[in-house]
Amino acid sequence: MEKKKVIYVSHCILNTATKVRKDAPVEEKPEERLRKKFLTQAIQNNIHIVQLPCPEHKLYGTERWGHTKEQFDHPHFRKQCREMLNPFMDDLKVYLQNTDEYEVLGILGIDGSPSCGVNFTCSGAWGGELMSNTRLSETLETICRVPERGVMIEVLKDMLQESNITIDFYGLDAMHPEVLNHLLE
Ligand code: SF4
């Protein structure tokens, strides 16, 4: 019997409505093209897709600003991530206990995200009252891409480690589309 292939993905790989709102249309952005390519190929290859929760949308809704990792890196956010991920850990363990039937391909996050980044996240000295910030443009310019995981991915890695589970992580990143080839082959 052919094994059922399962992949866990960040929520917005299936539902981009949870992403931070942008003025410019996202349709033709390289990340969007890569997302659609991944989904098309995953379906064609009979890969079963599990959608992880979106912590930012659940905790801050659709009106949130774009954030940096530092703004989410606090105990309550981590605790909430853990609670959201707990039910997924249960299902994952079932797949891993039945390796004759299932093959878990990995976890696909969103590189650059403060929550779901795998290889990169965004960092910056953001925060505080916008109206009284007399150096707002300088504050905004502190944002940069750093080689760290987003907060939810860090929590997920911790949870996997606590259960002695090893799984490959991948990041959706338009600058490195080749990363997905291994996943989809
Ligand atoms: S928190 Fe994760 S799932 Fe939610 S929009 Fe950001 S990258 Fe996507």
Side-chain angles (χ1 to χ4, degrees):
M1 185 179 65
E2 196 180 338
K3 289 186 189 182
K4 293 186 176 76
K5 294 180 176 174
V6 178
I7 183 165
Y8 283 73
V9 301
S10 284
H11 188 99
C12 64
I13 286 179
L14 283 160
N15 173 23
T16 56
T18 59
K19 288 176 92 71
V20 171
R21 192 186 303 134
K22 292 188 174 75
D23 289 340
V26 295
E27 281 69 26
E28 290 312 313
K29 288 200 162 183
E31 181 184 302
E32 180 62 4
R33 286 200 293 274
L34 186 61
R35 182 186 77 88
K36 287 178 177 165
K37 183 178 168 194
F38 163 76
L39 287 174
T40 303
Q41 291 187 2
I43 290 166
Q44 284 170 348
N45 293 1
N46 287 327
I47 295 173
H48 303 267
I49 303 171
V50 182
Q51 185 182 34
L52 291 168
C54 173
E56 296 180 27
H57 189 263
K58 277 204 184 300
L59 293 170
Y60 297 97
T62 54
E63 301 303 311
R64 69 187 188 278
W65 299 106
H67 286 71
T68 60
K69 178 181 176 182
E70 288 86 344
Q71 291 173 293
F72 293 143
D73 194 4
H74 56 84
H76 182 71
F77 191 90
R78 285 179 178 272
K79 191 171 138 206
Q80 292 297 313
C81 286
R82 190 170 270 268
E83 284 181 13
M84 286 178 220
L85 290 169
N86 258 330
F88 292 86
M89 288 294 292
D90 293 343
D91 289 348
L92 176 62
K93 285 174 187 170
V94 172
Y95 296 136
L96 296 174
Q97 281 165 3
N98 293 281
T99 50
D100 289 345
E101 201 174 339
Y102 302 104
E103 178 185 358
V104 178
L105 299 178
I107 294 166
L108 178 62
I110 304 282
D111 269 341
S113 161
S115 302
C116 300
V118 171
N119 302 298
F120 291 94
T121 187
C122 60
S123 171
W126 287 14
E129 172 59 58
L130 291 178
M131 293 292 283
S132 60
N133 187 333
T134 55
R135 298 161 39 143
L136 187 55
S137 59
E138 287 169 45
T139 303
L140 294 175
E141 281 169 12
T142 63
I143 193 166
C144 58
R145 198 168 139 115
V146 293
E148 293 176 22
R149 298 176 191 120
V151 176
M152 179 179 246
I153 294 294
E154 283 184 348
V155 172
L156 182 53
K157 285 235 177 198
D158 287 347
M159 293 170 78
L160 292 170
Q161 201 170 19
E162 287 158 19
S163 297
N164 293 317
I165 295 171
T166 305
I167 291 188
D168 291 331
F169 278 75
Y170 303 85
L172 190 87
D173 181 354
M175 288 163 73
H176 296 286
E178 72 284 355
V179 169
L180 298 185
N181 294 343
H182 171 68
L183 197 51
L184 292 165
E185 67 192 13

